[in-house]
Amino acid sequence: MLTLRDVPPPTRRPAVRPRGRRPFRDNPLQILAVIGLLAAALGLALTFASGSWRYSPDFLTEFVLYALSVADLTMILALVFVLARNIIKMMVERRRGLPFARFRSKLVGALLGMTLVPAVLVLLVGSELIRSNVDRWFNAPMEEIVASANRMASDYYSERQLLTSGTAARLSRALAALPFPEVDPVAVRDVIQPEVAQQRVSMVEVYRVARARTGAPVVSSVVDVAVPSLPREYNRASADRLAERVAAGSREAHGPEPLGNGGQLLRAAEPIRARDGTLAGVVVASDFLTSEMAARSRQMTDAYEAYNQLKVLKNPLLGVYLSFFLMVTLMILVSATWMGLYLAARITRPVQRLAAAARAIGAGHFDQRLEPETSDEFGSLMEAFNTMASELSVSRQNLERSARTLERQHQEVEARRRYIQTILDRITTGVISLDADDRVSTVNTAAARLLGLEGDQEGRPVGELLGRPDLEPLAKLIAVARPGDADKPAQEVSLAREGRELDLAVATATLHGQGGAIEGRLIVFDDITPLIRAQKVAAWREVARRLAHEIKNPLTPIQLCAERLARHFQGAPPATRELVTECTRTIVGEVESLKGLVDEFSQFARMPAPRRIPTALPPLLADTLGLYVGLFRDVTIETRFPADLPPVRIDPEQIRRVVINLVDNAIEAMDRRGRVVVEVQHAPAERLVHLIVADNGPGIPEGEREKLFLPYYSTKRRGSGLGLAIVRRIVAEHGGTIEVTANVPRGTRFTIDLPA
Amino acid sequence: MIRRALLAVLAAAVLGACSAPPLRVYALSGAGGGDEGLRVTALAKDGQLLVSFSLADGLTRELRQAIDSGLPATITYVVELRRPAALWFDGTVASATVTATVRFDNLTRQHQLSRTIDGRGEEPRVTEDEEEVRRWLTEFDRLPLFSTAQLEPNMVYYVKVRAHARPRLSGGLFFWPWGRGGKTGFAPRFTYLGDDRG
């Protein structure tokens, strides 16, 4: 049973709050910082997306698309993680039956539904819109326009290149007539000057080709002629490389050379072959394109290329846009999901904390406190809870103090009760306590033993408890003495229990409670049987002494007078003499008989105290029983002595008298025909020696057995009735007891218990 | 506990996604395997391991369109000389990176061609011939990429070539760009017997 002592001592508990540093969800600054970071990331992404068309394809396909995809994947996993974690958590909470688990599940479900459904719809519709918009970028008219423009610029370029190449070829054929390689530069100039003068080309450069030792062609400039209007920013090395490539046999004989002012030189080179077909020189003709013309051509081509590049990059760009859109959607979804869970937690968590704290208080932790996380109604609720917990704690402390006092008092009472109980259990006085309804409260050991009560008697009516016939005198006495009566002196009550007379001195007392109210009664009784018995014996001894004194004194004169009468009438007539003789003989005989009787009474009255010495009981008994050998023909005396019987401290003469008395009684009871068993038993555990004398005579009725030991009680025709009284007295003065029971199968059995 | 498990799953998924391409390549490694379009042969001669490879379908329609739009197109070949291992991943003895780039000028209608081997450039070329452009990008004959001094006699080797083109234009799921890897080819395994006996 749980008692106040079992409750653990109160320990001061800190207010219920998350351990460690403040969690993210309860830190507004951190939340704001994260929101700011997300907004910045979103702005950055928007800026990036708006300029995505400017980025190189490699950057788009090798970095941007991967980065966005990783971001999308991460956010999808984060979303799945957040959802799965919270769904599992809510399922566990619902299974455990935690408070508000169902409410929280419904709240989170509603918030997620309100977020997920629109977000997915926006994602689907938005993706389709992006696709259709990107498709619209590429339409047939625009493609034709930019393609035509590029074709025009390219054709113009090609045409000018062809003209330059034609001029270079014509000059090559004309210069082939000159003696290369040792050609006169003036002659060369004369050939090329008209072409330049007529502005068919802007510049002509002529090279001679010699052979090195390795056979490789070596190109060196012979002469160059340019129109005066040609800008001087052109690079001669460019023409030299072109000439070297042609001299080396390359077919790449033309190409543009950009100039610093934005213009271009369209160069064309032709080999000059001698009459034998050997390479003698190289002529490089260059046509100058003004910067305006070159720029316009390039613009048209750039527009065409930009359009086509956009077309080529359509899929990567579409992927970037869709991934970006997906990223934004996921960002919103993750944020909204987290916000939904956060709101649900903000609503249900304080209530859950309250419930947990209430459970803790219910379990006895009265120092449980809650730290208000907010200053709203939930905060006020927690303050009120803390106040209630404080008051409960104070009440609990007062209660515990009172309990400790009560416990101490209880212990004192209990100790006193045990003390009284011990006394009651040990004393020989019987005590029965009754409550106000005369029902038994307690029965001590002595009372149970004296009245022969067995088992638990608590609660029984006293009338029922004392309802047995042998307890009827006591029941009458209790019935007469009502609760509240003035306490009376003890009254003697004699009970006949198990064939024995039990004398009790019974007193009743009223139990008063506080204010004098009657709470019950006490029945106290003492076994005064030995006292009564001793009083009886003492009375008989006094009677015996007086009888011996008062009767014995006149007996001798009576006897002497009778003898004188007999002698006096010796001479009288025969008839008189016979009469006198007969009368005096009778008188003398009776006087002798009276003397014997008086002697016995005298012995009973003056019996000396036993002189106890260690005595071997079997030899003593054998010697005593030897007196009966041959006296009674039809009586068998059987002895049963143990071999290891220790010596017993007894007065041998008095015990011998006891045995003779018992055996005489047995023989007389059997009418001098039967068997007498004299047995000695040793009981080391009880430190007793049992001396048993049993016969198979007619036995003694149960009601007569206790009277046997009273003086002057005899069942024999002759006898003083003091034999067994003397026996009991001798045994009692040896510290023992004597008991008479029925022998099995018949007869009487006297058992004497002597201290071993 | 649940939080840790989910975090572990998240981390594993991200790691797996990021490492998907190299894992795929490792799965294909081994002599005689690889993509059909990339054929590789190796020949040891004059102290050099001459590697020839051709990418049959290297000039795809998308790459052709990119070139025509004026975008510079590059095919990068990562050539690895490898030694097979029985119980572990094959070891790479040496590697070289070969790039071939083409840029088309829509104004002059000329292709500018250039190649590099381990960053060293060759003389650029200009051509108007598209077939030459295709050969320039996809056919490489007897490139002296490795020295036979790196080889141990009587040991088995093979050459692995991974090719990928830029820009990468083929589509896939818009949020899953990892499905567009390059091609891998392997030269047959050979046993290097010693100097000039390849």
Side-chain angles (χ1 to χ4, degrees):
Chain A
M1 187 175 69
L2 185 69
T3 64
L4 288 174
R5 288 184 133 198
D6 299 327
V7 177
T11 53
R12 181 68 189 166
R13 287 187 161 216
V16 175
R17 59 171 300 177
R19 286 175 295 181
R21 64 190 179 84
R22 206 171 182 187
F24 172 73
R25 61 172 178 269
D26 297 333
N27 197 328
L29 282 179
Q30 285 187 3
I31 292 174
L32 283 176
V34 170
I35 290 174
L37 279 175
L38 284 174
L42 200 60
L44 201 66
L46 280 171
T47 308
F48 180 80
S50 64
S52 61
W53 59 274
R54 287 196 299 268
Y55 302 128
S56 71
D58 284 349
F59 183 66
L60 279 176
T61 58
E62 296 289 334
F63 178 75
V64 176
L65 201 51
Y66 276 86
L68 286 172
S69 301
V70 169
D72 290 343
L73 192 63
T74 305
M75 273 189 283
I76 287 172
L77 291 175
L79 183 64
V80 170
F81 170 75
V82 170
L83 285 176
R85 176 176 175 270
N86 283 279
I87 287 171
I88 292 171
K89 198 174 170 183
M90 282 188 290
M91 286 171 65
V92 171
E93 286 178 355
R94 286 187 67 164
R95 186 162 294 180
R96 287 182 181 170
L98 292 184
F100 289 91
R102 287 181 177 277
F103 173 71
R104 193 178 170 198
S105 302
K106 289 176 183 174
L107 188 61
V108 169
L111 289 171
L112 288 181
M114 287 167 61
T115 307
L116 282 173
V117 173
V120 171
L121 285 175
V122 167
L123 177 66
L124 293 175
V125 174
S127 301
E128 196 52 37
L129 280 174
I130 289 173
R131 282 179 193 278
S132 60
N133 276 330
V134 168
D135 286 340
R136 282 184 190 174
W137 290 351
F138 309 101
N139 52 46
M142 178 60 72
E143 189 169 357
E144 286 177 8
I145 290 169
V146 293
S148 299
N150 177 65
R151 203 157 37 244
M152 284 172 59
S154 180
D155 287 350
Y156 175 73
Y157 236 81
S158 298
E159 187 180 346
R160 293 290 295 268
Q161 187 70 61
L162 281 174
L163 286 173
T164 307
S165 296
T167 302
R170 192 166 56 251
L171 287 172
S172 169
R173 285 192 297 273
L175 290 172
L178 296 179
F180 277 86
E182 288 81 18
V183 65
D184 184 5
V186 177
V188 174
R189 183 181 295 273
D190 291 342
V191 173
I192 62 177
Q193 186 65 44
E195 293 290 333
V196 175
Q198 293 170 16
Q199 293 195 348
R200 289 196 177 94
V201 290
S202 301
M203 186 172 68
V204 175
E205 292 156 298
V206 177
Y207 298 85
R208 69 167 63 87
V209 177
R211 291 290 169 181
R213 287 182 182 175
T214 58
V218 178
V219 201
S220 58
S221 175
V222 178
V223 69
D224 59 282
V225 178
V227 295
S229 60
L230 183 67
R232 289 297 167 188
E233 290 86 359
Y234 66 86
N235 186 3
R236 178 177 295 278
S238 166
D240 295 348
R241 283 197 297 276
L242 186 60
E244 284 171 357
R245 282 207 299 269
V246 169
S250 172
R251 291 179 299 172
E252 299 167 10
H254 59 83
E257 180 196 343
L259 298 179
N261 64 350
Q264 277 191 338
L265 278 179
L266 298 179
R267 293 183 184 276
E270 278 294 328
I272 302 170
R273 297 192 181 279
R275 288 193 180 86
D276 57 356
T278 58
L279 180 65
V282 176
V283 58
V284 177
S286 302
D287 188 17
F288 175 65
L289 280 179
T290 62
S291 60
E292 186 181 0
M293 182 60 71
R296 285 180 181 171
S297 302
R298 179 52 63 187
Q299 280 176 355
M300 285 189 279
T301 301
D302 286 347
Y304 172 73
E305 287 186 344
Y307 180 85
N308 274 321
Q309 286 172 9
L310 197 61
K311 194 173 177 181
V312 166
L313 296 173
K314 175 187 165 186
N315 280 339
L317 279 173
L318 188 60
V320 167
Y321 293 148
L322 290 177
S323 296
F324 178 73
F325 185 61
L326 178 65
M327 186 184 77
V328 174
T329 306
L330 286 172
M331 203 180 287
I332 292 169
L333 266 179
V334 171
S335 304
T337 303
W338 184 87
M339 187 58 71
L341 297 170
Y342 171 74
L343 284 176
R346 291 289 293 183
I347 293 171
T348 57
R349 202 157 58 91
V351 184
Q352 285 178 330
R353 288 180 63 205
L354 272 174
R359 277 198 299 274
I361 285 180
H365 304 299
F366 287 92
D367 54 345
Q368 193 80 22
R369 300 290 183 278
L370 290 170
E371 182 176 326
E373 295 176 338
T374 57
S375 56
D376 54 9
E377 287 77 4
F378 283 118
S380 303
L381 185 61
M382 289 185 181
E383 289 289 354
F385 178 87
N386 287 341
T387 306
M388 180 201 74
S390 300
E391 291 171 355
L392 274 176
S393 179
V394 171
S395 302
R396 168 63 181 255
Q397 287 172 358
N398 293 334
L399 189 64
E400 284 177 348
R401 206 159 32 242
S402 302
R404 281 195 294 275
T405 305
L406 279 175
E407 182 71 18
R408 193 170 56 249
Q409 291 174 349
H410 171 73
Q411 286 177 352
E412 291 172 2
V413 169
E414 181 64 18
R416 185 167 297 175
R417 188 196 66 76
R418 282 198 301 270
Y419 172 71
I420 293 172
Q421 184 66 44
T422 305
I423 291 173
L424 287 175
D425 287 343
R426 294 292 181 271
I427 60 173
T428 56
T429 302
V431 179
I432 297 175
S433 64
L434 306 177
D435 61 12
D437 298 328
D438 269 353
R439 288 182 179 275
V440 175
S441 297
T442 59
V443 175
N444 77 335
T445 309
R449 177 174 52 79
L450 290 173
L451 301 183
L453 303 174
E454 292 180 354
D456 186 15
Q457 309 296 338
E458 187 177 350
R460 293 179 68 187
V462 66
E464 181 184 326
L465 179 74
L466 304 177
R468 286 198 335 243
D470 55 336
L471 302 179
E472 189 178 353
L474 182 60
K476 285 180 179 175
L477 179 67
I478 299 302
V480 169
R482 302 306 307 167
D485 291 351
D487 295 342
K488 297 176 180 176
Q491 300 179 49
E492 289 183 15
V493 173
S494 289
L495 305 177
R497 287 201 56 240
E498 298 176 354
R500 296 174 57 187
E501 192 171 343
L502 183 65
D503 296 310
L504 298 177
V506 182
T508 61
T510 304
L511 295 173
H512 295 281
Q514 284 184 341
I518 295 172
E519 292 186 342
R521 285 191 291 169
L522 270 184
I523 304 171
V524 182
F525 45 91
D526 282 307
D527 182 6
I528 56 172
T529 306
L531 181 63
I532 297 294
R533 189 179 297 152
Q535 287 175 348
K536 288 180 180 176
V537 170
W540 277 109
R541 287 180 68 180
E542 183 61 23
V543 170
R545 191 182 62 79
R546 285 181 181 274
L547 276 175
H549 180 73
E550 296 295 336
I551 295 174
K552 194 174 181 180
N553 286 341
L555 284 181
T556 301
I558 291 171
Q559 186 179 2
L560 290 176
C561 287
E563 287 173 353
R564 274 184 70 189
L565 283 174
R567 279 195 305 270
H568 180 73
F569 285 99
Q570 282 294 330
T576 304
R577 194 181 57 220
E578 286 181 6
L579 177 66
V580 170
T581 300
E582 185 180 353
C583 289
T584 54
R585 190 182 299 127
T586 301
I587 290 169
V588 169
E590 291 301 322
V591 166
E592 287 293 331
S593 180
L594 278 172
K595 277 185 176 178
L597 185 65
V598 169
D599 285 341
E600 280 193 20
F601 271 69
S602 180
Q603 278 183 356
F604 175 70
R606 293 199 306 267
M607 185 171 291
R611 289 174 301 178
R612 294 196 291 170
I613 56 172
T615 306
L617 206 50
L620 175 67
L621 296 175
D623 184 49
T624 304
L625 296 175
L627 298 174
Y628 294 93
V629 174
L631 286 183
F632 305 104
R633 194 176 54 190
D634 297 327
V635 173
T636 304
I637 298 177
E638 181 181 336
T639 57
R640 297 173 187 169
F641 304 142
D644 53 348
L645 187 68
V648 185
R649 284 180 61 79
I650 54 173
D651 184 331
E653 288 305 318
Q654 290 190 2
I655 294 301
R656 183 194 298 270
R657 186 172 181 180
V658 166
V659 173
I660 288 171
N661 208 321
L662 292 177
V663 172
D664 282 347
N665 284 342
I667 291 171
E668 287 299 323
M670 292 188 304
D671 202 13
R672 304 187 179 189
R673 184 176 296 139
R675 188 179 63 172
V676 177
V677 176
V678 178
E679 182 180 3
V680 177
Q681 294 176 351
H682 184 209
E686 303 167 12
R687 304 182 70 177
L688 290 174
V689 169
H690 306 300
L691 174 58
I692 302 162
V693 177
D695 64 68
N696 57 354
I700 301 170
E702 187 177 346
E704 300 291 324
R705 286 175 194 161
E706 188 61 23
K707 297 176 183 174
L708 289 176
F709 299 101
L710 294 176
Y712 209 63
Y713 177 85
S714 178
T715 57
K716 295 181 289 188
R717 289 186 303 273
R718 296 174 62 230
S720 60
L722 289 175
L724 288 177
I726 291 170
V727 166
R728 167 175 269 183
R729 183 177 173 198
I730 291 172
V731 171
E733 288 188 349
H734 276 79
T737 59
I738 183 167
E739 187 180 24
V740 57
T741 55
N743 192 30
V744 177
R746 62 192 294 267
T748 305
R749 181 185 181 92
F750 287 86
T751 302
I752 299 170
D753 293 340
L754 293 171
Chain B
M1 183 64 78
I2 292 171
R3 178 185 294 182
R4 285 184 183 173
L6 290 174
L7 276 175
V9 170
L10 179 67
V14 172
L15 263 177
C18 293
S19 58
L23 286 176
R24 194 172 67 85
V25 172
Y26 284 131
L28 288 172
S29 68
D35 298 322
E36 288 294 325
L38 184 55
R39 281 180 297 192
V40 184
T41 57
L43 174 66
K45 188 177 183 182
D46 298 334
Q48 295 286 328
L49 187 65
L50 305 178
V51 181
S52 302
F53 48 90
S54 64
L55 185 61
D57 303 322
L59 195 57
T60 59
R61 187 174 62 85
E62 290 84 4
L63 195 59
R64 182 73 255 177
Q65 286 177 346
I67 292 170
D68 289 345
S69 72
L71 286 170
T74 301
I75 298 181
T76 302
Y77 301 88
V78 178
V79 184
E80 292 178 340
L81 173 62
R82 313 191 79 188
R83 188 160 70 184
L87 300 175
W88 194 240
F89 296 109
D90 296 349
T92 300
V93 179
S95 68
T97 303
V98 179
T99 64
T101 305
V102 59
R103 178 162 194 154
F104 180 63
D105 188 344
N106 279 282
L107 186 62
T108 62
R109 291 171 182 165
Q110 288 182 326
H111 295 86
Q112 295 174 4
L113 309 176
S114 62
R115 278 182 176 176
T116 65
I117 297 177
D118 284 337
R120 297 187 306 276
E122 293 182 352
E123 184 70 21
R125 295 174 60 177
V126 176
T127 184
E128 295 174 2
D129 185 359
E130 291 193 1
E131 177 57 22
E132 188 178 355
V133 171
R134 188 193 64 77
R135 286 200 303 274
W136 183 263
L137 288 174
T138 62
E139 294 182 4
F140 298 82
D141 188 28
R142 297 195 175 190
L143 296 179
L145 298 179
F146 309 112
S147 169
T148 54
Q150 296 172 292
L151 307 181
E152 292 179 31
N154 301 316
M155 297 300 291
V156 176
Y157 296 92
Y158 68 92
V159 174
K160 172 186 173 185
V161 178
R162 282 183 288 141
H164 64 268
R166 288 178 176 172
R168 295 198 289 185
L169 303 170
S170 57
L173 286 174
F174 63 87
F175 59 86
W176 191 260
W178 287 281
R180 300 170 294 173
K183 291 188 175 182
T184 303
F186 298 89
R189 292 185 179 186
F190 62 92
T191 303
Y192 180 63
L193 299 176
D195 223 5
D196 292 336
R197 293 179 64 187

